[in-house]
C-alpha cells in the first residue's frame, strides 16, 4: 500500500513537470523589432540586418526578408514612410487628438446648452403669468390700487345708491356704461396677470389699466353728482339754499322746476355715454 502511494506521487510529479516544461518562451529580436514598428517605440529597426563578406550579402535571412529574394511588399514597406498608427503623425494618434478635440467641442456645446436652458428657465420664471401675483410691484402697489377692478361687482357698486338715483342713472345709460367699462378693465387685468410677458411690459399694462380705471371712477362719481343735482331740481328740494341766500334764494323758489327738470333730462339724454 505504501509503494502504491509513493508511485502515485511520482506519477503526479512527472505529469506536473512535463506541463511546466512543455512551453518555452521565445525571445526573438526580429519579432520584437516588428512589434516596435507597429506601435510608437521605434521605426527603422530592420532586423535581420545584412552581413557582407567581400561586398557580398551573406545573411540569407536578410535576403529573404528585405533583400532581392523578399516579396516586393516587404521592400516597399521598408522603403516607405513611417506608418506606425501611434507615431506623432500616425492615424491612431490623429484619431485620439480628434477625439480630444471633439470632447472639448461637446463640452463647449453642453455649456452653451446648459446656459441657454438656465436662461430660458430664468426668463420663464421672470415672465411667467403663474407667478405674476407674487411680483413685488404688484404686491406693494398695484394690487391695492386695482382692488376695485379685481373685485368688481355691479351690485356692490350700486348698493349705496337710492332707488331714485339708480332709476335716473339707468335711464341715462350710466349704469350700463359703467358696468361695461369695469368688466372690460377686469378682463384686461386678468389677461395681464395670467399671460407670459416681460415684467416691464406687465407693469406698464398695470399702470395703463390703473389710469383708465381712475378716469372711469371720476366719471362715475361725476355722474352720481349729476343725478343727485337733477333729482334735487325735479323734487324742488332746498339743498341749494346754503349756497344761495337772500333775494337770489327767494327768486329761486319761484322757478319753474318742471321746466328745469325737462331741460336737465334732455341734457343727460343727449350726453349719454356709450
Amino acid at each position: 500500500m505504501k509503494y502504491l502511494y509513493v508511485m502515485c506521487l511520482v506519477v503526479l510529479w512527472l505529469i506536473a513537470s512535463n506541463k511546466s516544461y512543455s512551453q518555452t518562451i521565445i525571445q526573438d529580436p526580429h519579432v520584437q523589432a516588428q512589434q516596435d514598428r507597429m506601435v510608437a517605440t521605434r521605426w527603422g529597426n530592420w532586423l535581420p540586418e545584412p552581413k557582407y563578406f567581400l561586398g557580398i550579402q551573406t545573411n540569407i535571412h536578410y535576403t529573404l526578408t528585405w533583400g532581392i529574394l523578399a516579396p516586393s511588399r516587404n521592400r516597399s514597406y521598408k522603403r516607405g514612410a513611417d506608418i506606425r498608427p501611434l507615431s506623432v503623425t500616425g492615424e491612431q494618434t490623429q484619431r485620439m487628438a480628434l477625439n480630444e478635440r471633439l470632447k472639448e467641442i461637446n463640452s463647449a456645446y453642453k455649456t452653451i446648452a446648459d446656459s441657454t436652458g438656465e436662461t430660458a428657465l430664468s426668463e420663464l420664471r421672470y415672465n411667467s403669468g403663474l407667478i405674476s401675483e407674487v411680483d413685488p410691484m404688484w404686491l406693494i402697489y398695484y394690487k391695492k390700487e386695482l382692488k376695485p377692478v379685481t373685485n368688481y361687482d355691479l351690485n356692490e357698486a350700486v348698493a349705496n345708491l337710492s332707488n331714485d338715483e339708480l332709476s335716473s342713472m339707468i335711464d341715462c345709460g350710466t349704469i350700463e356704461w359703467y358696468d361695461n367699462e369695469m368688466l372690460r378693465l377686469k378682463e384686461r387685468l386678468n389677461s395681464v396677470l395670467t399671460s407670459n410677458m416681460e415684467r416691464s411690459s406687465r407693469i406698464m399694462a398695470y399702470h395703463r389699466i390703473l389710469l383708465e380705471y381712475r378716469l372711469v371712477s371720476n366719471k362715475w362719481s361725476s355722474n352720481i353728482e349729476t343725478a343727485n343735482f337733477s333729482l334735487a331740481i325735479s323734487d324742488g328740494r332746498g339743498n341749494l339754499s346754503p349756497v344761495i341766500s337772500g333775494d337770489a334764494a327767494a327768486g329761486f323758489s319761484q322757478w319753474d322746476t318742471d321746466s328745469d327738470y325737462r331741460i336737465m333730462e334732455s341734457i343727460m339724454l343727449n350726453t349719454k355715454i356709450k
Side-chain angles (χ1 to χ4, degrees):
M1 188 68 181
K2 293 182 179 180
Y3 294 109
L4 179 62
Y5 179 73
V6 171
M7 289 179 63
C8 290
L9 291 177
V10 171
V11 170
L12 292 175
W13 179 79
L14 290 174
I15 294 174
S17 299
N18 289 334
K19 287 186 177 180
S20 301
Y21 295 100
S22 62
Q23 296 179 352
T24 302
I25 299 176
I26 299 175
Q27 297 291 344
D28 190 343
H30 306 87
V31 175
Q32 183 64 40
Q34 177 64 19
Q35 291 175 350
D36 293 342
R37 288 195 298 272
M38 291 306 295
V39 288
T41 306
R42 182 179 178 187
W43 180 260
N45 186 14
W46 306 107
L47 297 179
E49 296 179 348
K51 296 180 181 180
Y52 296 94
F53 179 75
L54 299 176
I56 300 173
Q57 170 61 247
T58 60
N59 189 348
I60 187 61
H61 298 291
Y62 178 85
T63 302
L64 294 175
T65 305
W66 308 114
I68 59 176
L69 298 180
S72 60
R73 65 175 180 272
N74 288 23
R75 295 193 297 271
S76 299
Y77 173 69
K78 182 180 179 182
R79 292 193 300 266
D82 185 351
I83 60 172
R84 289 174 297 168
L86 294 174
S87 65
V88 177
T89 58
E91 294 182 356
Q92 186 61 23
T93 303
Q94 294 179 11
R95 293 192 195 99
M96 293 171 63
L98 180 60
N99 286 337
E100 291 299 322
R101 179 56 182 164
L102 290 176
K103 288 181 181 179
E104 294 178 0
I105 294 174
N106 289 338
S107 178
Y109 281 140
K110 184 178 183 300
T111 301
I112 295 174
D114 292 344
S115 177
T116 303
E118 291 176 1
T119 301
L121 291 176
S122 177
E123 290 181 353
L124 180 61
R125 292 191 296 267
Y126 189 72
N127 301 329
S128 176
L130 298 175
I131 59 174
S132 60
E133 295 189 9
V134 297
D135 184 90
M137 285 295 294
W138 169 259
L139 294 174
I140 295 173
Y141 181 72
Y142 288 104
K143 182 178 182 179
K144 178 182 178 181
E145 295 296 322
L146 292 174
K147 185 176 181 180
V149 178
T150 55
N151 298 334
Y152 169 72
D153 182 79
L154 180 61
N155 294 328
E156 294 181 2
V158 300
N160 295 327
L161 298 178
S162 64
N163 293 333
D164 293 337
E165 291 173 340
L166 184 61
S167 299
S168 176
M169 296 179 72
I170 291 175
D171 293 340
C172 297
T174 304
I175 299 295
E176 182 181 0
W177 163 81
Y178 181 71
D179 186 48
N180 290 337
E181 290 295 316
M182 291 299 293
L183 290 177
R184 179 179 62 84
L185 292 176
K186 184 176 182 179
E187 182 179 358
R188 282 179 55 193
L189 182 59
N190 290 334
S191 177
V192 171
L193 287 170
T194 56
S195 299
N196 297 332
M197 64 177 65
E198 293 183 358
R199 181 171 180 267
S200 58
S201 300
R202 195 189 308 276
I203 293 174
M204 290 302 298
Y206 292 156
H207 196 68
R208 285 192 292 268
I209 294 174
L210 178 60
L211 294 179
E212 293 184 26
Y213 162 70
R214 287 174 176 173
L215 289 176
V216 172
S217 180
N218 291 336
K219 290 182 180 179
W220 171 252
S221 299
S222 178
N223 288 332
I224 293 177
E225 293 178 359
T226 302
N228 288 330
F229 185 73
S230 176
L231 291 173
I233 294 176
S234 62
D235 294 342
R237 290 182 293 183
N239 58 347
L240 298 179
S241 57
V243 180
I244 303 175
S245 59
D247 297 337
F252 178 77
S253 62
Q254 299 176 0
W255 287 356
D256 187 353
T257 56
D258 292 337
S259 175
D260 291 339
Y261 175 75
R262 287 192 297 272
I263 293 173
M264 183 58 64
E265 186 179 33
S266 175
I267 292 173
M268 294 290 292
L269 290 175
N270 291 332
T271 59
K272 179 180 178 181
I273 300 175
K274 299 180 180 181

